Structure formats: C-alpha cells, structure tokens
Amino acid sequence: MNEKNLKIINQIFIEVFNDETIFLDKTTSSKDIDKWDSLNNMHLVVAIEKHFQVRVSLRDIQSWKNVGDLCDWISYKTA
Amino acid sequence: MLFNSYIFLFLFLPITLIGFHFIGRYTKANIAIAWLVGASLFFYGWWNPAYLILLLFSIIFNFSVGVFLSRNSKGNLAHKAILLFGIITNLSVLGYFKYANFFIDNLNSLAQTNILLNEIILPLGISFFTFQQITYLVDAYYQETKEYSFLYYCLFVTFFPQLIAGPIVHHKEMMPQFLKDTIYKLQTKNIAIGLTIFIIGLCKKVIIADGISVYSTPVFNAAEAGILLTFFEAWTGAIAYTFQLYFDFSAYSDMAIGVGLMFGIVLPLNFNSPYKARNITDFWRRWHITLSKLIRNYLWDPLSLTLTRFAITRGYGNLRIFILTIIFPILFSFFWIGLWHGAGWNFILFGFLHGFYIVIYHIWIKFKLNFLDFQLINNSKLSKSLGWLITFICVVFAWILFRANNLDSAINLYRGMLGLNGYVLPESYLIILNKFLGFGNFLEANGFKFGVSGFFGGITQIGLFFIVGFIAFIMPNTYQFMSNSLPKKLSKELDEVKINFKPLNWRPTYLFSLLLAAIFAFTVLSISKNSEFLYFQF
C-alpha cells in the first residue's frame, strides 16, 4: 500500500514541479529537492488532497518531516 | 539592562546564575524558577519600571485566555470568539504602543486634521513578547498546549536572555525544558559552551558592530540632514550598515543562546550565516530564523493553503493561480514582516521590497526550469557566486529603507548609490592612482572627481570590509566551530561544514579558555559607552 502511494506521490511531484527527474524515497525531504520550498508546498498539498480525496490540516502538514511521513499519513487516512 | 554593560556582566549575570544553581541544588525546582522569573522582571524593569505593569498584565491576560482555550473543547463559536478576542487584544495593545503615533500622523496629513497625541514610548521587547504569546493562544486553541503552572508560563515569557530581542521561542520547545531535572544541576559543560558563545557574541557586538558603526551612522545622519552623498559615500555607508546590523543582531542572539545554556536552557538558533545565502529565500531561512518560522507557520501556511485550495477548485489558469497563490500571499506576509519591525512607511516598503525580490526569484526559477535548463546556469560555480552576489546587493539595497528614519533620507541615499550625485574619490588618491598607468587621470576623464569625499573612509574602510566580509562570507559561524559540542537541537539546523583543520574545532581545553579569556578581557576593556542593540527598537 505504502509503496503504491509512494509511486503516486512521486508522479504528483513530477507534475507539480514540472520535473521528470524527481525520484522520491521515504527519506526525501524538502532539503533534497531545490524546487520544493514553503512557497509552493501548498500546491503539492492541494494536488495530494485532490488525488486521494482527503482533507489535510495545517497541523498535519507541519508534522511531516519527509516523504515517508506523508505516505504514512495517506495510508492512515485512506485505510 | 544591556548584555554589554558592566552591571550585567559583573553583577546581574553572576548573581542570578549562582543563585539559580544554588537554589536548584538545595531546594525545590519551583523556587529556582521563581528566582529566575524575579531576576528576569528585575532585568526588564531596569529600563523603565512602569512597563513592568504592562508586561505583567500581558502575561496574566494571555495565561488566563490560554487556560480557558485549552480547557474547553475546540470548534464551537464561543471558543473561536475567545481566541479572536485574545488575538485582537494583543494586537491592539501592540498597535497602541507601537503604531498609534504613526497612524495619527498619517491621518493628520491625509485628512488635514490636527489631532495631537503625546509621543508614546515603545515598551522594550513588546513585539517579541506579544507575538510569542499569540502563538501560544493559537496553539492552546488547537489543544496543543499542556497546562502549565502560572510560574512556568511566566518564565516562558520573561526568561531574560530572550525577552527583549529574541530568539522568539515557542512554548513547545521551552516548557519541557523547564520540567527537566537536569537544568537544576550545575553542568560545567553547559557553562563552558554557554560562556564561549556569549563571549563570542559580546566581541561581535562591542568590537565589530560598534566599531563599524563609525562608518554607517554619519552617512545615514547626513542623508537625513539632506546632504548630497556621492557614489562611494553612499555605497560604503550602506555596506557598513549591512555588516553592523548583522553583527549587532547576531551578537545579541549569540549572547542570548549563550546565557540560556548557562542555565541549562537551549534557545533556538536565530542566525545561520545569512550573508552566505545564494538566493533570497535562502536568506530568509538564515536571517532572524525564529521570526521567519513564526510568520511561515502562523501566517503564510494558512493563507497559502486556503488560497491554493480556492484557486484549484475554481479551476483557475496558471497565471491566476500564480498571482493568487504566490504573489499575493508573499506580498501580504512581507508587508507584516516589514510592519513588525516598526511604524513607518520605510518599514512597509522594506517588507514589500523583499516580497518583490522573492516574487522575482520565484518567476526566475519557473522560467529557468522551462526555458533555460542547461548546465551553465544550473550548478556551475559561476552561477552560485553570481547568485550570492546578486542576493547580497539586493539585501544591502533593502537595508537602506530599514535604517533610514524616513523616506526622504532613503531616497537621498539611493540617488547617491545610483551615481546621480557623482563619483568622488579623496583628492590624495589621484597621485596614487596615477602611479598605475595614469589610472587616476583616466578616471578623471571619465566622470570621476577627486576632491572632498568626507563620508568615505577610503582604503581603511575597504580593508575593514575585507576583514568583516571574510568573517561573514567565508568563515564557519560560531555554531559550526562548536558543532561537536553543541546540544543537538542547535546543531541540527546548521549547514554541514567540514572544518578540516582540527585544532580549530572548539574543545574545553586550556588553550581555548586562555584564548577566550583574552578575547573577553580585550572586549570588556573596549566597552566605551552603553551602546544599545539595534533590535531593541522593534
């Protein structure tokens, strides 16, 4: 389940940042991707909300430290 | 009381520190906390005891509202109303003390009225303790605060190292530390590290910041007096202020963190070599980190999330999405960052200018991604250096607005920097420059003048810039030097710098203590006047 989510999230990253070379693993954080910063973070969040049909709160967003946390959160929400 | 005053260094700090560790060792933790709160209130009241009342009122008010919010379940209307009431009260008090005069002045000139208001003296640190407590209320609303005793809450707000000029602390990082037994047991390692950071901070303030102010203050005073400044005078004055501000404010933050550690408390990192930034967003991640974080978490994120959701559900096109979800919230957030620093149009414009920089940066990243995605621009050394240079020049340019007391003097300086008042070098330089293939005459033939350039310190000043520039641009910062010994909370935010020359890594050895003692002695003997920290006015 988590692996599948990771792939989907990777695809969302590629679309939002318009960059085919992005390859995510669970430890990837905003430090590893230049284009990912707090300015466009919400574009990513809303794309994820839309795809998984979930609603994210600010507290959730601020608790994610890396892509792994994000995947876990999605698995938990969509389970 | 100033960190760089004899009374603080030789009476207040030792007495408070010894008292705290003595009480903590032989009696209860609560009494040690009470001692520290008492000392902090004394520290604050030293300037103007009248404002102690304001501080105490603010603490009692926010604590009561916070307890109410955290006890009642969230979501109902009354709950929201109380939060709103709390925030509005805080902002009104801040508004009255900080912005009333500004507001009345503008109203008078706009509506041609003549309302008089006595000049209100700004209570020290009001912007800091107000914002700190607003975040507490918001977190209490979301049930994220535990309930602490009133005494602990008092310490969270008043803890004297951070009370006047930050770092802005968050209850989540402070409260658990007060509850730890270990802080009440004297740990020599903490004293050693804290004292080292403190002494480095003191030296930065007394030697570097105050030293370099000789070159910045006269230039800004001249601009205010309407004296026309030439190209070199304006630029060197602006660069001098750029260094002064950094060494002044980062000195304060270092000293706060150092003193905090002596009490066993880890305060958050506030500076991470900001002038090494290679782009403007990077700059804001390194400059006054605790303010940027606060604005990001409590203003930017909610605004950006709401607007992005709105724009996406409406199915807006790229341009509208960009305007609504990037440009607007950036300018809005930076408007507040500007205004937070002071009541004046110069501060508002300072905020907007930085907001504008960030918008430009963002457009550039998008453009580069789509059209210029090739190696030369991406990762070469040249592009990194160029990015650094452009960022630094933009930062220097914006500080003018920050420092100038009004718009006219800022414009005056900008005219000088753009060369509109001519390029004048000191007369004696003509002969010297002519020794190099007649370079002086060449310059003179091309619009330069040689004459009186009173505010330009010449080679001495340029030499000084090279020294402080080396410290700010190239050397590892204090925390990187000490990264092997620092508490993890502090070191995890630093860029990794490998200091290959091992003896430079700080260790508690005789050699380092001797060196620091020498720096301390030299610095203390150089304290000439009571020079306030620049950030005290915010």
Side-chain angles (χ1 to χ4, degrees), chain B residues 225-240:
Chain B
I227 297 168
L228 293 185
L229 295 159
T230 58
F231 181 80
F232 294 106
E233 292 175 318
W235 271 102
T236 51
I239 292 172

Side-chain angles (χ1 to χ4, degrees), chain A residues 35 38 42-43 49 56 59, chain B residues 144 300 304 309 325 369:
Chain A
K35 294 143 199 162
S38 53
M42 295 307 170
H43 287 198
E49 278 188 335
V56 186
R59 308 287 136 170
Chain B
E144 290 186 352
W300 167 269
S304 169
R309 268 189 195 136
T325 67
L369 221 67

Side-chain angles (χ1 to χ4, degrees), chain B residues 385-403:
Chain B
S385 317
L386 207 62
W388 166 79
L389 186 68
I390 295 170
T391 307
F392 185 69
I393 291 173
C394 286
V395 168
V396 173
F397 215 67
W399 286 141
I400 305 281
L401 285 165
F402 196 82
R403 170 64 175 81

Side-chain angles (χ1 to χ4, degrees), chain B residues 110-153:
Chain B
L110 254 178
Q112 310 266 317
T113 49
N114 206 1
I115 305 164
L116 277 179
L117 189 73
N118 287 334
E119 280 290 313
I120 301 162
I121 302 163
L122 185 70
L124 276 170
I126 187 170
S127 309
F128 287 92
F129 68 71
T130 305
F131 272 57
Q132 197 161 311
Q133 294 187 96
I134 289 178
T135 62
Y136 169 76
L137 293 186
V138 174
D139 289 354
Y141 174 80
Y142 285 105
Q143 314 282 308
E144 290 186 352
T145 53
K146 292 193 188 98
E147 207 177 309
Y148 310 100
S149 76
F150 179 63
L151 195 62
Y152 283 70
Y153 183 78

